[in-house]
Amino acid sequence: MCESSPHRRIALLICDVPFDTIQEKHGDYTRIFGTLLEKSLQPINNIRSADSQATFTLEPFDVYAQIYPKDDVYDAMIITGAGACYRLRIRPAWPGMNQKTDRVYASDIALAMGGACVRNTREVSATKLRLNELGKKVYGAESGVLNLHLMNRDHVPTEPPSFHIIISSDHSPNHGMIRFSQSESSGDAPPLNFRLTDIHILSSQGHPEFTESIMRTFLNARREFLGTEVVDDGQSRAGNQNDGIAVVGKAMWGIMGVE
């Protein structure tokens, strides 16, 4: 049965700070992720009746200050992206992740779950990623293609126990994973039939919250660090298709039971 007017309370774990030039135009990560959630919710509400409109609150927590939410008062948690060295500091904060039952979207959760994170080829800007059969079901994309903005040099080459890879790129076999709520061992096969609400954790190496403008600003700000060749290539693709809102955002809401 559909909830009459579902409201979702979402915790945002902030693990980094956007450049000043990004904040001046797009706001901090609370506003950036709030925009992703709001815009991806709009098409869902457009087909819901006036008395069943879904709403949400997004509450930020500063991981730098070691401030974390209580698991039992939120419908979901979102973890922002972060520099590779800082992700290592997040790991001790998740001793109970295996027992969590609330829905979680994470930009990079593998380290917290016992996986390894290693250096890889630099990937930037709007990029065509490949979905396997499980990924097609999660994102509702029969084409098998997912277009997302990337800004990474690290990757998780293999999945942690009880996770299933759903996305890959030309440079990484693992660009996104899911873990089902009922997973109990690393040998568990994904269920043949499942609902998005059966997913406990969704991780993405890509950035669904990034827009063309954010990516262009990011590339310009990091030109000296990334190098001219990488930046120019990224700028040439920054305006390409981006499925962050229409596909990934929609899936995030589906995991939270809002469809």
Side-chain angles (χ1 to χ4, degrees):
M1 180 177 293
C2 181
E3 297 175 81
S4 57
S5 296
H7 180 82
R8 295 293 181 263
R9 191 177 180 189
I10 305 167
L12 179 68
L13 273 63
I14 299 175
C15 308
D16 208 346
V17 179
F19 292 121
D20 290 342
T21 50
I22 291 177
Q23 292 198 60
E24 289 169 4
K25 187 172 183 179
H26 301 281
D28 59 12
Y29 274 133
T30 304
R31 180 179 168 189
I32 290 171
F33 276 91
T35 299
L36 167 66
L37 291 166
E38 182 178 350
K39 289 189 174 182
S40 56
L41 182 59
Q42 286 175 353
I44 298 173
N45 275 334
N46 285 343
I47 60 175
R48 299 175 70 98
S49 62
D51 60 353
S52 65
Q53 296 290 289
T55 57
F56 72 94
T57 54
L58 184 65
E59 301 177 27
F61 293 84
D62 185 356
V63 174
Y64 278 100
Q66 297 293 298
I67 300 173
Y68 298 93
K70 295 181 179 179
D71 296 347
D72 57 353
V73 297
Y74 293 94
D75 299 293
M77 294 182 188
I78 296 175
I79 306 176
T80 72
C85 59
Y86 192 72
R87 283 201 295 269
L88 295 172
R89 294 178 58 191
I90 298 173
R91 187 173 181 177
W94 296 92
M97 182 59 79
N98 283 313
Q99 286 75 45
K100 285 179 65 63
T101 57
D102 52 335
R103 308 295 173 233
V104 178
Y105 170 81
S107 58
D108 192 342
I109 204 68
L111 284 173
M113 300 300 292
C117 185
V118 300
R119 288 295 193 198
N120 192 30
T121 301
R122 172 71 66 182
E123 295 179 294
V124 303
S125 201
T127 303
K128 288 184 179 294
L129 304 173
R130 293 185 296 273
L131 296 170
N132 59 20
E133 291 303 314
L134 186 59
K136 292 178 185 179
K137 293 180 180 179
V138 171
Y139 288 116
E142 288 302 318
S143 67
V145 175
L146 183 68
N147 301 277
L148 282 181
H149 281 294
L150 308 181
M151 181 56 69
N152 62 271
R153 186 171 54 175
D154 300 331
H155 77 140
V156 179
T158 58
E159 67 273 32
S162 298
F163 279 77
H164 307 282
I165 294 174
I166 59 174
I167 314 171
S168 63
S169 74
D170 290 340
H171 301 291
S172 175
N174 181 6
H175 245 279
M177 307 176 293
I178 59 172
R179 182 181 189 270
F180 290 99
S181 298
Q182 300 303 315
S183 294
E184 296 179 355
S185 71
S186 59
D188 286 345
L192 296 177
N193 297 300
F194 65 89
R195 297 176 57 86
L196 288 179
T197 50
D198 295 328
I199 296 174
H200 177 200
I201 299 172
L202 168 70
S203 90
S204 172
Q205 189 75 0
H207 290 269
E209 77 279 10
F210 279 12
T211 62
E212 176 184 350
S213 176
I214 290 175
M215 177 53 64
R216 291 193 185 281
T217 305
F218 209 117
L219 289 167
N220 285 334
R222 303 195 75 185
R223 179 175 290 275
E224 184 174 345
F225 175 74
L226 296 172
T228 298
E229 183 178 353
V230 171
V231 169
D232 289 349
D233 174 61
Q235 291 286 16
S236 72
R237 292 182 285 109
N240 290 356
Q241 182 174 336
N242 174 20
D243 297 324
I245 293 172
V247 180
V248 179
K250 179 182 178 181
M252 290 167 63
W253 281 112
I255 291 171
M256 290 186 280
V258 179
E259 298 178 298

